[in-house]
Amino acid sequence: MKEKISIGIIGYGTVGSNTAVILQEKNKIFASHTGIEFQLKKVCDNDWSRKREWMPPAAMRTSNYNDILNDPEIDIVVELIGKFQPAYNIIKKSLMQKKAVVTANKFLLSKKLTELLTLANTSSSYLGFEASVAGAIPVIKVLRESFVGNRINSIIGILNGTTNYILSSMSEKHQTFGDALKSAQKLGYAESNPSLDISGRDSAQKLAIISTYAFQRAISEDNFLIEGIEKIEIRDIEFARELGYRVKLLAIAKRTDDMVSLRVHPALIPVNHMLSDVEGVYNAVYLEGDLFGKTLMYGEGAGGKAASSAVIADIIEIGRKLFLKSHLSERFIINPRVNLQPADRIETRYYLRFTAIDRPRVLASIADILGKNRISIASVMQKEENPERAVPIVMLTHTAIEKNVRDAISAIDKLSYIRQPTQIIRVEG
Ligand code: HSE
Protein backbone atom coordinates (compact mmCIF):
# COMPACT_ATOMS: atom_id res chain seq x y z
CA MET A 1 0.00 0.00 0.00
CA LYS A 2 1.42 3.37 -1.01
CA GLU A 3 0.42 6.21 1.24
CA LYS A 4 2.75 8.84 -0.10
CA ILE A 5 2.98 9.69 -3.79
CA SER A 6 5.83 11.87 -5.02
CA ILE A 7 5.42 14.08 -8.03
CA GLY A 8 7.86 15.82 -10.35
CA ILE A 9 6.70 18.57 -12.71
CA ILE A 10 8.69 19.24 -15.89
CA GLY A 11 7.76 22.55 -17.53
CA TYR A 12 6.79 25.22 -15.04
CA GLY A 13 4.56 27.68 -16.91
CA THR A 14 0.94 28.65 -16.22
CA VAL A 15 -0.46 25.11 -15.95
CA GLY A 16 2.59 23.84 -14.03
CA SER A 17 2.48 26.61 -11.44
CA ASN A 18 -1.31 26.33 -11.06
CA THR A 19 -0.91 22.59 -10.49
CA ALA A 20 1.84 23.18 -7.91
CA VAL A 21 -0.34 25.69 -6.03
CA ILE A 22 -3.31 23.30 -5.98
CA LEU A 23 -1.13 20.43 -4.74
CA GLN A 24 -0.01 22.60 -1.80
CA GLU A 25 -3.31 24.28 -1.00
CA LYS A 26 -5.52 21.19 -1.25
CA ASN A 27 -3.04 18.71 0.19
CA LYS A 28 -5.16 17.99 3.28
CA ILE A 29 -8.38 17.66 1.28
CA PHE A 30 -6.76 15.17 -1.13
CA ALA A 31 -5.37 13.21 1.83
CA SER A 32 -8.76 13.04 3.52
CA HIS A 33 -10.48 11.91 0.26
CA THR A 34 -7.90 9.31 -0.67
CA GLY A 35 -5.78 8.43 2.36
CA ILE A 36 -2.75 9.46 0.29
CA GLU A 37 -0.28 12.28 0.78
CA PHE A 38 0.51 13.84 -2.59
CA GLN A 39 3.92 15.46 -2.32
CA LEU A 40 5.40 17.77 -4.94
CA LYS A 41 9.06 16.80 -4.80
CA LYS A 42 10.82 18.48 -7.74
CA VAL A 43 10.06 21.05 -10.39
CA CYS A 44 12.08 21.49 -13.58
CA ASP A 45 12.24 24.48 -15.89
CA ASN A 46 15.02 25.96 -17.96
CA ASP A 47 14.14 29.56 -17.11
CA TRP A 48 13.61 30.40 -13.47
CA SER A 49 13.70 34.17 -14.02
CA ARG A 50 10.04 34.41 -15.15
CA LYS A 51 7.43 35.47 -12.59
CA ARG A 52 5.15 32.61 -11.45
CA GLU A 53 1.96 32.15 -9.44
CA TRP A 54 4.14 30.33 -6.87
CA MET A 55 7.93 30.02 -6.84
CA PRO A 56 9.13 26.66 -5.45
CA PRO A 57 11.96 26.80 -2.87
CA ALA A 58 15.47 26.47 -4.31
CA ALA A 59 15.85 22.88 -3.03
CA MET A 60 12.84 21.84 -5.12
CA ARG A 61 13.99 23.55 -8.32
CA THR A 62 16.11 22.12 -11.10
CA SER A 63 16.89 22.87 -14.71
CA ASN A 64 17.83 19.30 -15.54
CA TYR A 65 14.86 17.00 -16.12
CA ASN A 66 17.05 13.96 -15.48
CA ASP A 67 16.99 14.96 -11.79
CA ILE A 68 13.30 13.99 -11.91
CA LEU A 69 13.58 10.98 -14.25
CA ASN A 70 16.43 9.46 -12.20
CA ASP A 71 14.85 10.08 -8.80
CA PRO A 72 13.65 6.63 -7.65
CA GLU A 73 11.20 8.20 -5.20
CA ILE A 74 9.22 10.04 -7.89
CA ASP A 75 6.10 8.07 -8.85
CA ILE A 76 4.45 10.51 -11.25
CA VAL A 77 6.12 12.69 -13.90
CA VAL A 78 3.95 15.61 -15.01
CA GLU A 79 5.13 16.73 -18.46
CA LEU A 80 4.02 20.29 -19.26
CA ILE A 81 6.71 21.46 -21.66
CA GLY A 82 4.62 20.99 -24.80
CA LYS A 83 5.96 20.60 -28.36
CA PHE A 84 7.66 17.41 -29.56
CA GLN A 85 11.16 17.10 -28.10
CA PRO A 86 12.36 16.68 -25.40
CA ALA A 87 8.81 15.90 -24.20
CA TYR A 88 8.64 12.70 -26.31
CA ASN A 89 11.87 11.28 -24.82
CA ILE A 90 10.90 12.36 -21.31
CA ILE A 91 7.57 10.53 -21.52
CA LYS A 92 9.07 7.39 -23.07
CA LYS A 93 11.91 7.24 -20.54
CA SER A 94 9.53 7.80 -17.61
CA LEU A 95 7.14 5.07 -18.75
CA MET A 96 10.00 2.63 -19.35
CA GLN A 97 11.14 3.31 -15.76
CA LYS A 98 7.60 2.48 -14.61
CA LYS A 99 6.87 6.03 -13.60
CA ALA A 100 3.32 7.10 -14.41
CA VAL A 101 3.05 10.13 -16.71
CA VAL A 102 0.53 12.96 -16.79
CA THR A 103 0.71 15.23 -19.82
CA ALA A 104 -1.21 18.06 -21.46
CA ASN A 105 0.87 17.81 -24.65
CA LYS A 106 -1.73 17.79 -27.44
CA PHE A 107 0.83 18.29 -30.22
CA LEU A 108 2.85 15.22 -29.23
CA LEU A 109 -0.15 13.03 -28.40
CA SER A 110 -1.89 13.86 -31.67
CA LYS A 111 1.06 12.08 -33.34
CA LYS A 112 2.14 9.47 -30.80
CA LEU A 113 -0.82 8.50 -28.61
CA THR A 114 -1.09 4.87 -29.75
CA GLU A 115 2.66 4.32 -29.33
CA LEU A 116 2.73 5.87 -25.85
CA LEU A 117 -0.39 4.03 -24.66
CA THR A 118 1.11 0.77 -25.91
CA LEU A 119 4.39 1.58 -24.13
CA ALA A 120 2.52 2.42 -20.92
CA ASN A 121 0.82 -0.97 -21.17
CA THR A 122 3.98 -3.00 -21.88
CA SER A 123 5.88 -1.21 -19.07
CA SER A 124 2.99 -1.70 -16.63
CA SER A 125 2.73 2.03 -16.20
CA TYR A 126 0.08 4.64 -16.98
CA LEU A 127 -0.40 7.63 -19.26
CA GLY A 128 -2.85 10.31 -18.09
CA PHE A 129 -3.75 12.82 -20.81
CA GLU A 130 -7.04 14.38 -19.75
CA ALA A 131 -5.54 17.89 -19.85
CA SER A 132 -4.60 17.58 -23.53
CA VAL A 133 -8.20 18.03 -24.71
CA ALA A 134 -11.10 20.32 -23.83
CA GLY A 135 -9.56 21.86 -20.70
CA ALA A 136 -11.43 20.82 -17.58
CA ILE A 137 -14.05 18.64 -19.36
CA PRO A 138 -13.43 15.00 -18.36
CA VAL A 139 -13.96 13.54 -21.85
CA ILE A 140 -11.07 11.06 -21.69
CA LYS A 141 -12.18 9.76 -18.31
CA VAL A 142 -15.70 9.32 -19.63
CA LEU A 143 -14.44 7.32 -22.64
CA ARG A 144 -11.98 5.37 -20.47
CA GLU A 145 -14.47 4.47 -17.77
CA SER A 146 -18.10 5.54 -18.00
CA PHE A 147 -18.65 4.70 -21.71
CA VAL A 148 -16.09 1.90 -21.98
CA GLY A 149 -18.79 -0.61 -23.00
CA ASN A 150 -19.96 1.49 -25.94
CA ARG A 151 -19.18 1.71 -29.59
CA ILE A 152 -18.74 5.46 -30.18
CA ASN A 153 -20.52 6.55 -33.35
CA SER A 154 -20.19 10.30 -33.28
CA ILE A 155 -18.07 13.01 -31.65
CA ILE A 156 -18.87 16.66 -32.26
CA GLY A 157 -16.79 19.12 -30.30
CA ILE A 158 -16.21 22.78 -29.78
CA LEU A 159 -12.62 22.16 -28.76
CA ASN A 160 -10.93 25.52 -29.06
CA GLY A 161 -11.70 28.27 -26.57
CA THR A 162 -9.97 31.03 -28.55
CA THR A 163 -11.95 30.59 -31.76
CA ASN A 164 -15.21 30.10 -29.89
CA TYR A 165 -14.50 33.30 -27.97
CA ILE A 166 -13.75 35.14 -31.25
CA LEU A 167 -16.89 33.89 -33.04
CA SER A 168 -19.05 34.69 -29.98
CA SER A 169 -17.59 38.21 -29.71
CA MET A 170 -18.11 38.84 -33.46
CA SER A 171 -21.69 37.63 -33.19
CA GLU A 172 -22.79 39.14 -29.88
CA LYS A 173 -20.61 42.25 -29.48
CA HIS A 174 -20.11 42.94 -33.22
CA GLN A 175 -16.37 43.03 -32.52
CA THR A 176 -14.00 42.70 -35.45
CA PHE A 177 -12.00 39.51 -35.80
CA GLY A 178 -8.76 41.34 -34.87
CA ASP A 179 -10.17 42.95 -31.70
CA ALA A 180 -11.72 39.70 -30.52
CA LEU A 181 -8.41 37.87 -31.05
CA LYS A 182 -6.56 40.52 -29.05
CA SER A 183 -8.89 40.06 -26.04
CA ALA A 184 -8.55 36.24 -26.27
CA GLN A 185 -4.76 36.65 -26.17
CA LYS A 186 -4.96 39.04 -23.22
CA LEU A 187 -7.11 36.54 -21.31
CA GLY A 188 -4.48 33.82 -21.85
CA TYR A 189 -6.65 31.53 -24.00
CA ALA A 190 -4.68 31.63 -27.26
CA GLU A 191 -1.61 29.55 -28.09
CA SER A 192 1.69 31.45 -28.22
CA ASN A 193 1.24 31.16 -31.97
CA PRO A 194 -2.50 31.97 -32.32
CA SER A 195 -2.58 30.78 -35.92
CA LEU A 196 -2.74 27.26 -34.44
CA ASP A 197 -6.09 28.21 -32.90
CA ILE A 198 -7.45 30.19 -35.84
CA SER A 199 -6.46 27.72 -38.55
CA GLY A 200 -8.31 24.89 -36.78
CA ARG A 201 -5.11 22.92 -36.12
CA ASP A 202 -5.42 23.09 -32.32
CA SER A 203 -8.95 21.63 -32.59
CA ALA A 204 -7.69 19.03 -35.08
CA GLN A 205 -4.97 17.87 -32.68
CA LYS A 206 -7.54 17.51 -29.91
CA LEU A 207 -9.97 15.65 -32.18
CA ALA A 208 -7.12 13.36 -33.27
CA ILE A 209 -6.48 12.46 -29.60
CA ILE A 210 -10.13 11.84 -28.71
CA SER A 211 -10.73 9.85 -31.93
CA THR A 212 -7.59 7.76 -31.58
CA TYR A 213 -8.80 6.71 -28.17
CA ALA A 214 -12.47 6.32 -29.09
CA PHE A 215 -11.95 4.44 -32.37
CA GLN A 216 -8.74 2.60 -31.39
CA ARG A 217 -6.84 3.64 -34.45
CA ALA A 218 -3.82 5.91 -34.88
CA ILE A 219 -5.36 9.14 -36.17
CA SER A 220 -3.28 12.26 -36.70
CA GLU A 221 -4.35 15.74 -37.71
CA ASP A 222 -2.78 15.03 -41.13
CA ASN A 223 -5.58 12.54 -41.77
CA PHE A 224 -8.46 14.93 -42.07
CA LEU A 225 -10.00 18.02 -43.56
CA ILE A 226 -9.11 21.17 -41.60
CA GLU A 227 -10.44 24.67 -42.24
CA GLY A 228 -10.09 27.57 -39.84
CA ILE A 229 -12.21 30.62 -39.06
CA GLU A 230 -10.09 33.13 -41.01
CA LYS A 231 -12.61 33.27 -43.85
CA ILE A 232 -15.69 33.91 -41.68
CA GLU A 233 -17.07 37.42 -42.15
CA ILE A 234 -19.53 39.23 -39.91
CA ARG A 235 -22.01 39.17 -42.82
CA ASP A 236 -21.95 35.31 -42.79
CA ILE A 237 -22.70 35.32 -39.07
CA GLU A 238 -25.59 37.72 -39.73
CA PHE A 239 -27.02 35.79 -42.70
CA ALA A 240 -26.74 32.61 -40.65
CA ARG A 241 -28.66 34.28 -37.82
CA GLU A 242 -31.46 35.31 -40.25
CA LEU A 243 -31.69 31.71 -41.39
CA GLY A 244 -31.87 30.44 -37.79
CA TYR A 245 -28.26 29.28 -37.36
CA ARG A 246 -25.09 30.16 -35.44
CA VAL A 247 -21.54 29.78 -36.71
CA LYS A 248 -19.15 27.63 -34.65
CA LEU A 249 -15.79 25.97 -35.30
CA LEU A 250 -16.66 22.28 -35.00
CA ALA A 251 -14.46 19.21 -34.72
CA ILE A 252 -16.45 16.28 -36.11
CA ALA A 253 -15.77 12.54 -36.16
CA LYS A 254 -18.46 10.20 -37.44
CA ARG A 255 -18.32 6.46 -37.70
CA THR A 256 -20.39 4.39 -40.10
CA ASP A 257 -19.63 0.65 -40.14
CA ASP A 258 -15.83 0.55 -40.25
CA MET A 259 -15.33 3.97 -41.83
CA VAL A 260 -14.57 7.10 -39.82
CA SER A 261 -14.84 10.57 -41.29
CA LEU A 262 -12.94 13.36 -39.52
CA ARG A 263 -13.04 17.09 -40.11
CA VAL A 264 -12.58 20.47 -38.45
CA HIS A 265 -14.26 23.48 -40.02
CA PRO A 266 -16.59 26.37 -39.24
CA ALA A 267 -20.19 25.21 -39.46
CA LEU A 268 -23.69 26.61 -39.30
CA ILE A 269 -25.63 24.92 -36.51
CA PRO A 270 -29.35 25.47 -35.86
CA VAL A 271 -30.09 27.79 -32.92
CA ASN A 272 -31.94 24.95 -31.19
CA HIS A 273 -28.93 22.58 -31.44
CA MET A 274 -27.37 21.77 -28.04
CA LEU A 275 -24.00 23.15 -29.15
CA SER A 276 -25.30 26.50 -30.36
CA ASP A 277 -25.43 28.01 -26.86
CA VAL A 278 -21.78 27.24 -26.12
CA GLU A 279 -20.31 30.73 -25.98
CA GLY A 280 -17.04 32.45 -25.15
CA VAL A 281 -14.12 30.34 -23.96
CA TYR A 282 -16.38 27.39 -23.16
CA ASN A 283 -15.85 24.04 -24.89
CA ALA A 284 -18.34 21.23 -25.33
CA VAL A 285 -18.16 17.64 -26.47
CA TYR A 286 -21.24 15.89 -27.83
CA LEU A 287 -20.98 12.10 -28.04
CA GLU A 288 -23.21 9.39 -29.46
CA GLY A 289 -22.74 5.74 -28.52
CA ASP A 290 -24.66 2.51 -29.08
CA LEU A 291 -25.64 2.13 -25.39
CA PHE A 292 -25.71 5.57 -23.79
CA GLY A 293 -27.36 7.26 -26.77
CA LYS A 294 -26.44 10.94 -26.73
CA THR A 295 -24.60 13.02 -24.16
CA LEU A 296 -23.19 16.53 -23.96
CA MET A 297 -20.32 17.67 -21.76
CA TYR A 298 -19.67 21.35 -21.26
CA GLY A 299 -16.99 23.32 -19.46
CA GLU A 300 -14.07 25.74 -19.57
CA GLY A 301 -11.79 24.79 -22.42
CA ALA A 302 -8.75 27.01 -21.92
CA GLY A 303 -6.86 28.81 -19.20
CA GLY A 304 -4.41 27.64 -16.53
CA LYS A 305 -6.94 26.66 -13.86
CA ALA A 306 -9.13 24.55 -16.17
CA ALA A 307 -6.12 22.61 -17.48
CA SER A 308 -4.72 22.14 -13.94
CA SER A 309 -8.06 20.69 -12.84
CA ALA A 310 -7.55 17.92 -15.44
CA VAL A 311 -3.87 17.41 -14.48
CA ILE A 312 -4.85 17.04 -10.81
CA ALA A 313 -7.62 14.55 -11.73
CA ASP A 314 -5.06 12.30 -13.46
CA ILE A 315 -2.60 12.61 -10.55
CA ILE A 316 -5.24 11.56 -8.05
CA GLU A 317 -6.46 8.72 -10.28
CA ILE A 318 -2.91 7.34 -10.50
CA GLY A 319 -2.41 7.84 -6.75
CA ARG A 320 -5.53 5.81 -6.04
CA LYS A 321 -4.38 2.98 -8.31
CA LEU A 322 -0.97 2.90 -6.62
CA PHE A 323 -2.64 3.02 -3.20
CA LEU A 324 -4.79 0.02 -4.11
CA LYS A 325 -1.78 -1.72 -5.69
CA SER A 326 -4.00 -2.34 -8.71
CA HIS A 327 -2.60 -2.74 -12.20
CA LEU A 328 -1.70 0.71 -13.40
CA SER A 329 -1.64 -0.14 -17.07
CA GLU A 330 -4.61 -0.43 -19.41
CA ARG A 331 -4.72 -2.51 -22.55
CA PHE A 332 -4.84 -0.45 -25.70
CA ILE A 333 -5.48 -2.60 -28.75
CA ILE A 334 -5.58 -1.11 -32.22
CA ASN A 335 -8.65 -2.04 -34.27
CA PRO A 336 -7.30 -2.87 -37.76
CA ARG A 337 -10.74 -2.62 -39.36
CA VAL A 338 -11.28 1.11 -38.87
CA ASN A 339 -10.60 3.04 -42.09
CA LEU A 340 -10.58 6.77 -42.75
CA GLN A 341 -13.00 8.29 -45.23
CA PRO A 342 -11.39 10.52 -47.90
CA ALA A 343 -12.33 14.20 -47.37
CA ASP A 344 -13.95 14.58 -50.80
CA ARG A 345 -16.55 11.91 -49.93
CA ILE A 346 -17.96 13.90 -46.97
CA GLU A 347 -21.73 14.27 -47.20
CA THR A 348 -23.35 17.25 -45.51
CA ARG A 349 -25.48 20.32 -46.17
CA TYR A 350 -23.87 23.58 -47.31
CA TYR A 351 -24.28 27.34 -46.92
CA LEU A 352 -23.12 29.05 -50.13
CA ARG A 353 -22.73 32.82 -50.42
CA PHE A 354 -22.28 33.98 -54.01
CA THR A 355 -21.29 37.54 -54.84
CA ALA A 356 -22.89 38.29 -58.21
CA ILE A 357 -23.97 41.15 -60.46
CA ASP A 358 -27.75 41.54 -60.18
CA ARG A 359 -28.82 40.61 -63.73
CA PRO A 360 -31.38 38.35 -65.43
CA ARG A 361 -30.40 34.65 -65.67
CA VAL A 362 -27.70 34.84 -62.96
CA LEU A 363 -29.67 32.78 -60.47
CA ALA A 364 -30.77 30.40 -63.22
CA SER A 365 -27.18 29.70 -64.32
CA ILE A 366 -26.01 29.13 -60.73
CA ALA A 367 -28.94 26.77 -60.11
CA ASP A 368 -28.21 24.97 -63.38
CA ILE A 369 -24.57 24.25 -62.45
CA LEU A 370 -25.58 23.12 -58.95
CA GLY A 371 -28.23 20.83 -60.46
CA LYS A 372 -25.76 19.29 -62.92
CA ASN A 373 -23.55 18.44 -59.92
CA ARG A 374 -26.49 16.79 -58.11
CA ILE A 375 -26.81 19.56 -55.56
CA SER A 376 -30.34 20.34 -54.54
CA ILE A 377 -31.18 23.83 -53.24
CA ALA A 378 -33.11 24.00 -49.94
CA SER A 379 -33.49 27.79 -49.65
CA VAL A 380 -32.34 31.01 -51.34
CA MET A 381 -31.97 34.56 -50.02
CA GLN A 382 -30.92 37.55 -52.09
CA LYS A 383 -30.45 40.96 -50.51
CA GLU A 384 -31.50 44.02 -52.49
CA GLU A 385 -28.46 46.29 -52.44
CA ASN A 386 -27.06 48.92 -54.78
CA PRO A 387 -27.95 47.49 -58.26
CA GLU A 388 -24.70 48.87 -59.70
CA ARG A 389 -22.70 46.66 -57.36
CA ALA A 390 -22.45 42.91 -56.82
CA VAL A 391 -25.04 41.51 -54.39
CA PRO A 392 -24.84 38.57 -51.99
CA ILE A 393 -26.96 35.52 -52.86
CA VAL A 394 -27.14 33.02 -50.01
CA MET A 395 -28.23 29.42 -50.54
CA LEU A 396 -28.65 26.46 -48.24
CA THR A 397 -28.40 23.10 -49.97
CA HIS A 398 -29.79 19.69 -49.11
CA THR A 399 -27.21 16.99 -48.33
CA ALA A 400 -24.55 16.92 -51.03
CA ILE A 401 -21.15 15.31 -51.61
CA GLU A 402 -18.09 17.48 -50.92
CA LYS A 403 -16.47 16.78 -54.28
CA ASN A 404 -19.63 17.73 -56.18
CA VAL A 405 -19.87 21.00 -54.26
CA ARG A 406 -16.23 21.85 -54.97
CA ASP A 407 -16.63 21.04 -58.68
CA ALA A 408 -19.81 23.15 -58.90
CA ILE A 409 -18.32 26.16 -57.09
CA SER A 410 -15.19 26.07 -59.18
CA ALA A 411 -17.38 26.23 -62.34
CA ILE A 412 -19.65 28.95 -60.89
CA ASP A 413 -16.70 31.10 -59.81
CA LYS A 414 -15.57 31.20 -63.44
CA LEU A 415 -18.84 32.87 -64.59
CA SER A 416 -18.29 36.48 -65.67
CA TYR A 417 -20.93 37.96 -63.33
CA ILE A 418 -19.46 36.30 -60.17
CA ARG A 419 -17.33 38.98 -58.51
CA GLN A 420 -15.72 37.21 -55.54
CA PRO A 421 -14.84 33.62 -54.69
CA THR A 422 -17.94 31.94 -53.28
CA GLN A 423 -18.08 31.44 -49.53
CA ILE A 424 -18.69 27.77 -48.59
CA ILE A 425 -19.62 26.86 -45.00
CA ARG A 426 -20.84 23.40 -44.10
CA VAL A 427 -24.06 22.97 -42.12
CA GLU A 428 -24.29 20.53 -39.22
CA GLY A 429 -27.43 19.24 -37.50
N1 HSE B 1 -5.44 27.65 -27.23
C1 HSE B 1 -6.26 26.62 -26.68
C2 HSE B 1 -7.72 27.08 -26.81
C3 HSE B 1 -5.90 26.39 -25.24
O1 HSE B 1 -7.96 28.24 -27.13
O2 HSE B 1 -8.60 26.26 -26.63
C4 HSE B 1 -6.43 25.11 -24.68
O3 HSE B 1 -5.91 23.98 -25.32
Side-chain angles (χ1 to χ4, degrees):
M1 187 150 69
K2 194 137 173 74
E3 288 174 0
K4 186 166 152 191
I5 302 289
S6 293
I7 299 153
I9 296 179
I10 306 180
Y12 198 66
T14 316
V15 182
S17 56
N18 271 289
T19 303
V21 170
I22 297 164
L23 284 171
Q24 324 273 327
E25 284 179 353
K26 299 203 173 195
N27 193 276
K28 287 207 172 71
I29 301 173
F30 296 159
S32 77
H33 282 332
T34 61
I36 304 164
E37 188 197 337
F38 290 90
Q39 183 212 33
L40 179 60
K41 189 163 183 227
K42 283 199 182 106
V43 180
C44 172
D45 200 278
N46 55 14
D47 176 7
W48 284 109
S49 63
R50 279 182 294 156
K51 203 174 162 328
R52 275 39 181 228
E53 176 115 1
W54 176 73
M55 188 57 88
M60 208 188 259
R61 295 198 300 249
T62 175
S63 293
N64 180 357
Y65 58 75
N66 285 315
D67 290 344
I68 290 179
L69 301 194
N70 296 333
D71 183 336
E73 280 182 11
I74 289 189
D75 305 290
I76 304 176
V77 174
V78 180
E79 182 281 305
L80 297 171
I81 316 175
K83 307 225 170 79
F84 197 79
Q85 285 292 21
Y88 182 44
N89 285 347
I90 288 172
I91 294 178
K92 280 202 298 189
K93 210 169 155 191
S94 305
L95 292 172
M96 284 191 281
Q97 290 177 184
K98 299 197 187 304
K99 292 188 191 303
V101 172
V102 175
T103 176
N105 193 329
K106 52 200 163 186
F107 178 70
L108 172 63
L109 294 182
S110 69
K111 304 198 179 310
K112 295 286 176 192
L113 182 60
T114 51
E115 180 191 317
L116 295 174
L117 281 171
T118 307
L119 178 60
N121 183 20
T122 51
S123 346
S124 305
S125 193
Y126 190 85
L127 181 72
F129 55 102
E130 189 66 72
S132 64
V133 292
I137 303 175
V139 56
I140 301 300
K141 190 173 182 71
V142 160
L143 291 171
R144 238 173 181 161
E145 295 177 17
S146 322
F147 294 161
V148 64
N150 281 262
R151 172 192 151 113
I152 302 296
N153 293 323
S154 187
I155 304 167
I156 306 179
I158 294 178
L159 299 179
N160 183 270
T162 303
T163 46
N164 202 52
Y165 179 90
I166 293 173
L167 291 173
S168 299
S169 304
M170 285 169 74
S171 166
E172 306 310 318
K173 298 186 211 152
H174 302 282
Q175 254 186 331
T176 63
F177 184 97
D179 287 346
L181 171 61
K182 269 189 215 136
S183 356
Q185 284 175 303
K186 235 187 247 162
L187 289 162
Y189 303 151
E191 298 300 302
S192 45
N193 169 7
S195 73
L196 284 173
D197 298 296
I198 291 158
S199 65
R201 283 195 49 215
D202 178 82
S203 299
Q205 287 165 9
K206 292 168 180 166
L207 183 63
I209 295 169
I210 304 174
S211 309
T212 294
Y213 197 77
F215 304 125
Q216 292 176 282
R217 183 201 196 281
I219 291 170
S220 94
E221 61 180 307
D222 308 328
N223 291 128
F224 46 102
L225 179 144
I226 308 175
E227 276 177 19
I229 64 164
E230 312 88 330
K231 63 175 193 175
I232 301 297
E233 295 178 25
I234 286 196
R235 56 166 60 196
D236 295 310
I237 293 175
E238 277 160 11
F239 288 140
R241 197 197 318 268
E242 274 185 59
L243 293 161
Y245 293 83
R246 295 219 169 100
V247 180
K248 298 282 177 196
L249 181 69
L250 297 186
I252 302 171
K254 289 191 178 169
R255 180 172 180 174
T256 38
D257 300 323
D258 290 326
M259 193 67 87
V260 176
S261 110
L262 297 132
R263 50 202 162 101
V264 169
H265 53 68
L268 265 67
I269 48 176
V271 285
N272 58 3
H273 191 290
M274 281 193 272
L275 289 172
S276 84
D277 286 331
V278 178
E279 300 286 11
V281 70
Y282 280 86
N283 279 194
V285 186
Y286 168 86
L287 298 172
E288 281 181 21
D290 61 345
L291 305 179
F292 66 81
K294 300 172 182 177
T295 196
L296 178 72
M297 286 175 280
Y298 172 84
E300 279 188 48
K305 279 203 173 154
S308 321
S309 166
V311 168
I312 292 286
D314 277 339
I315 290 175
I316 292 184
E317 172 73 20
I318 293 163
R320 282 191 161 133
K321 283 181 193 287
L322 290 170
F323 183 75
L324 293 170
K325 272 196 149 186
S326 74
H327 281 291
L328 261 190
S329 60
E330 70 176 329
R331 294 192 74 198
F332 183 76
I333 307 293
I334 293 170
N335 181 348
R337 290 190 307 277
V338 175
N339 299 304
L340 301 182
Q341 188 181 51
D344 64 358
R345 302 307 304 163
I346 288 168
E347 287 185 44
T348 187
R349 295 169 61 222
Y350 293 81
Y351 159 102
L352 306 172
R353 174 170 54 78
F354 305 97
T355 308
I357 299 293
D358 195 359
R359 259 196 228 143
R361 288 201 33 80
V362 169
L363 209 49
S365 339
I366 292 174
D368 184 47
I369 294 177
L370 291 175
K372 283 187 178 135
N373 284 280
R374 298 167 184 232
I375 301 159
S376 164
I377 300 163
S379 64
V380 183
M381 178 167 80
Q382 181 179 324
K383 293 286 169 186
E384 198 175 346
E385 287 185 4
N386 182 345
E388 304 300 313
R389 296 209 336 245
V391 294
I393 303 168
V394 172
M395 286 185 188
L396 288 183
T397 74
H398 289 293
T399 301
I401 295 171
E402 179 83 14
K403 183 177 182 313
N404 295 352
V405 172
R406 292 198 176 273
D407 289 348
I409 299 307
S410 131
I412 290 169
D413 282 355
K414 289 194 184 96
L415 299 174
S416 61
Y417 38 78
I418 295 290
R419 288 302 152 92
Q420 274 178 26
T422 296
Q423 173 71 297
I424 307 173
I425 309 177
R426 295 165 194 86
V427 180
E428 184 61 36

